[in-house]
């Protein structure tokens, strides 16, 4: 018999990659999905099986992190060997607009899950992974950040996740639960939500090069992030739960880059050089050159002549609406503990991550059926 995993947040970026990864390892995966007026299972449709199929290895349950009774019932029914708590209102900027809900889902939601495991007498059986975050470091007290760096959260999201981090540690110490925090730095992919900065950029650049959009408006271009690929990061989640003793781990690449440079890299994937001029709200990015060979190969020779007429145009502007009341200026993680204790290391660098996202988004934007259906291509992510 393979192991049974329960994943909250199964419809999200990480939930999708982790589901596929665990199913390939022989797990039966149960996922908790919120009810919504549209299906919202695009990222996991290639894994989903009809309830009438025999021997299913992917089973979905309706549920919500704000509903204790629902979580308790599902955990009692599923009797999971491993629980991955990935569900969260995960957008930092949106958490300033919905602070109470964010505290409820991301903070108290984690308590509900831990308490359900305790009340059901599953503390010996069920190992728990908590999706903690580099946002905990906020106004960073040390560079690079490691497991011992003090936290200084800078958003309602990060404060809610701070509670979740410590309640996980507390249940481990108080009840001997195998409960661990993965302190994951930003990780991205072609499945990344469309309003996080990398995906917003790769989608916009893809539309700009194809003539579907003139310009993209951004917030703070100077903040720095340590970006890895979500495919690598879900493997770390799995490894954390395979350890004999529970513990907390930083998962990062150890390289940090500005938003401005990520924008330049994304245009460069299509053979376009963008230069930034001006400062603050007046800063703009202009097309300064096109490499015809790369553009023709990546975007298509049929779009080249039209695009060349745009050399000198502004394609990036600033809209202060995207600024945050309190910003996290720099994140860069020291992953020594994960490398030495878990044997984990990232396989994607930022260039290969950016290329993966750009090729995917150019492909999607080119496909009329994508625009009509708004769907992801059905893929096996690890092939
Ligand atoms: P994501 O794409 O935003 O996915 C979040 C998931 O949580 C979605 O399935 C969402 O459902 C679900 N969810 C939200 N509120 C819920 C609620 N009240 N009840 C049940 N489900 C709920 O996030 P992600 O990038 O995969 O990240 C996974 C986890 O890791 C999150 O906890 C995030 O905070 C944390 N994290 C992410 C990163 C990163 O860089 N990606 C880094 C560190 C930590 P819907 O599909 O219905 O919205
Ligand atoms: N979203 C967004 N949109 N961010 C922008 C924009 C924009 O138009 N312009 C500049 N930024 C800057 C933000 O101000 C921030 O400094 C940086 O880009 C990254 O923003 P996001 O991609 O939204 O991610 P995040 O770092 O705030 O949070 C993500 O990573 C955390 C781990 O560090 C989320 O996935 C969190 O859930 C996760 O915990």
């Amino acid at each position: 018999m393979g192991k049974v995993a329960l994943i909250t947040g199964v419809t999200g970026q990480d939930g999708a990659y982790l589901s596929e990864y665990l199913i390939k390892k022989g797990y039966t995966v149960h996922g908790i999905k919120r009810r919504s007026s549209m299906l919202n299972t695009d990222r996991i449709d290639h894994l989903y099986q009809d309830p009438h199929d025999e021997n299913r290895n992917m089973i979905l349950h309706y549920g919500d992190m704000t509903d204790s009774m629902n979580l308790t019932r599902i955990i009692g029914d599923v009797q999971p060997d491993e629980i991955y708590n990935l569900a969260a209102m995960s957008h930092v900027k949106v958490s300033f607009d919905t602070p109470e809900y964010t505290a409820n889902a991301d903070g108290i939601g984690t308590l509900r899950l831990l308490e359900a495991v305790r009340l059901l007498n599953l503390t010996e059986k069920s190992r728990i992974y908590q999706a903690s975050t580099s946002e905990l470091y906020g106004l960073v007290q040390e560079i690079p950040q490691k497991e011992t760096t003090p936290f200084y959260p800078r958003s309602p999201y990060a404060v809610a996740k701070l509670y979740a981090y410590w309640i996980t540690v507390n249940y481990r110490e108080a009840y001997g639960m195998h409960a661990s925090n993965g302190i994951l730095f930003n990780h991205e992919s072609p499945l990344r939500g469309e309003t996080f900065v990398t995906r917003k950029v790769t989608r916009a650049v893809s539309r700009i090069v194809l003539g579907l959009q003139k310009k993209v408006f951004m917030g703070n271009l100077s903040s720095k992030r340590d970006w890895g690929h979500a495919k690598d990061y879900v493997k770390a989640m799995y490894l954390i739960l395979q350890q004999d003793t529970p513990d907390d781990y930083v998962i990062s690449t150890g390289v940090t880059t500005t938003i401005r440079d990520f924008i330049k890299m994304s245009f460069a994937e299509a053979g376009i050089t963008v230069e930034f001029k001006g400062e603050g709200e007046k800063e703009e990015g202009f097309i300064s050159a096109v490499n015809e060979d790369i553009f023709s190969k990546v975007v298509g020779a049929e779009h080249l002549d039209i695009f060349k007429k745009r050399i000198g145009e502004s394609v990036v502007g600033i809209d202060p609406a995207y600024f945050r009341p309190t910003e996290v200026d720099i994140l860069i993680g020291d992953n020594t503990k994960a490398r030495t204790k878990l044997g984990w290391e990232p396989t994607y660098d930022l260039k290969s991550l950016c290329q993966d996202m750009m090729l995917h988004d150019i492909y999607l934007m080119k496909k009329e059926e994508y625009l009509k259906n708004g769907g992801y291509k059905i893929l096996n992510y690890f092939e």
Side-chain angles (χ1 to χ4, degrees):
M1 288 285 283
K3 285 188 189 167
V4 175
L6 175 66
I7 302 178
T8 73
V10 74
T11 55
Q13 170 189 254
D14 292 1
Y17 283 118
L18 182 64
S19 298
E20 186 183 304
Y21 188 66
L22 294 179
I23 286 170
K24 290 209 161 122
K25 287 199 169 295
Y27 280 63
T28 299
V29 170
H30 291 257
I32 298 185
K33 180 206 158 347
R34 296 192 282 184
R35 195 270 162 182
S36 58
S37 64
M38 292 178 78
L39 270 179
N40 189 28
T41 51
D42 297 348
R43 292 182 176 110
I44 49 170
D45 276 347
H46 65 301
L47 302 172
Y48 181 70
Q49 291 159 307
D50 189 273
H52 306 98
D53 289 356
E54 278 176 24
N55 303 322
R56 284 189 295 159
N57 53 18
M58 174 85 185
I59 298 152
L60 296 184
H61 305 260
Y62 280 113
D64 200 293
M65 295 307 291
T66 59
D67 185 336
S68 316
M69 284 183 281
N70 159 269
L71 291 175
T72 308
R73 182 176 49 74
I74 295 171
I75 294 170
D77 287 350
V78 170
Q79 300 278 306
D81 298 300
E82 295 173 7
I83 300 177
Y84 295 86
N85 183 30
L86 310 185
M89 201 310 288
S90 72
H91 202 286
V92 172
K93 175 76 162 62
V94 175
S95 78
F96 288 97
D97 300 325
T98 60
E100 182 182 349
Y101 173 73
T102 305
N104 192 4
D106 299 13
I108 305 299
T110 305
L111 171 68
R112 291 186 183 102
L113 200 76
L114 291 161
E115 189 62 2
V117 170
R118 189 173 78 89
L119 294 175
L120 290 162
N121 292 320
L122 289 171
T123 50
E124 298 280 316
K125 177 178 169 68
S126 303
R127 296 182 171 194
I128 299 173
Y129 172 87
Q130 169 56 22
S132 284
T133 165
S134 49
E135 278 290 303
L136 295 172
Y137 298 118
L139 188 64
V140 298
Q141 304 294 297
E142 188 177 24
I143 294 177
Q145 297 85 50
K146 50 182 183 281
E147 290 78 2
T148 50
T149 303
F151 296 139
Y152 193 139
R154 292 271 278 176
S155 64
Y157 165 78
V159 174
K161 285 281 188 175
L162 184 76
Y163 178 84
Y165 174 94
W166 282 116
I167 201 68
T168 301
V169 173
N170 181 247
Y171 270 55
R172 175 166 85 215
E173 293 175 353
Y175 307 118
M177 287 167 64
H178 195 296
S180 302
N181 287 287
I183 308 171
L184 270 54
F185 283 62
N186 299 49
H187 45 282
E188 320 292 312
S189 74
L191 299 188
R192 186 59 147 149
E194 289 87 344
T195 61
F196 296 98
V197 76
T198 55
R199 190 78 199 291
K200 175 172 169 177
V201 168
T202 58
R203 275 171 54 90
V205 171
S206 303
R207 291 177 59 81
I208 289 168
V209 299
L210 289 165
L212 298 167
Q213 181 175 331
K214 281 201 166 306
K215 188 166 178 168
V216 62
F217 288 90
M218 306 294 304
N220 178 8
L221 299 182
S222 299
S223 59
K224 291 179 155 187
R225 289 292 180 275
D226 177 334
W227 283 297
H229 199 301
K231 273 189 190 177
D232 284 334
Y233 286 44
V234 299
K235 292 179 188 169
M237 297 177 187
Y238 164 78
L239 286 172
I240 288 171
L241 288 201
Q242 308 318 307
Q243 304 309 301
D244 290 339
T245 42
D247 205 345
D248 309 315
Y249 298 88
V250 161
I251 305 297
S252 66
T253 68
V255 176
T256 195
T257 308
T258 62
I259 311 304
R260 190 180 293 102
D261 283 344
F262 185 81
I263 296 172
K264 286 186 186 175
M265 285 176 78
S266 302
F267 276 104
E269 283 300 323
I272 297 155
T273 308
V274 165
E275 282 174 19
F276 283 88
K277 294 181 190 153
E279 278 182 22
E281 293 178 25
K282 301 270 182 245
E283 185 167 358
E284 284 189 79
F286 296 88
I287 302 171
S288 65
V290 182
N291 178 315
E292 298 191 7
D293 287 344
I294 299 177
F295 188 98
S296 300
K297 202 168 136 216
V298 174
V299 185
E302 68 277 21
H303 299 283
L304 183 61
D305 285 341
I306 298 176
F307 192 80
K308 272 166 49 185
K309 293 191 185 129
R310 299 191 61 190
I311 292 176
E313 274 184 26
S314 166
V315 281
V316 184
I318 302 295
D319 181 346
Y322 297 114
F323 292 161
R324 295 164 183 197
T326 39
E327 177 62 281
V328 172
D329 294 324
I330 177 167
L331 292 174
I332 175 167
D334 175 348
N335 60 20
T336 307
K337 183 173 173 185
R339 281 180 188 268
T340 49
K341 292 206 165 171
L342 301 176
W344 176 86
E345 59 179 15
T347 63
Y348 280 81
D349 63 8
L350 187 57
K351 172 145 179 53
S352 51
L353 167 65
C354 182
Q355 184 178 56
D356 192 24
M357 295 177 72
M358 276 301 298
L359 292 179
H360 187 268
D361 280 342
I362 288 175
Y363 171 84
L364 288 182
M365 295 308 164
K366 274 184 170 176
K367 288 270 173 204
E368 259 187 36
E369 60 265 35
Y370 171 74
L371 297 174
K372 268 193 248 134
N373 301 330
Y376 295 93
K377 184 168 178 267
I378 294 178
L379 302 158
N380 283 318
Y381 303 134
F382 285 92
E383 279 166 7

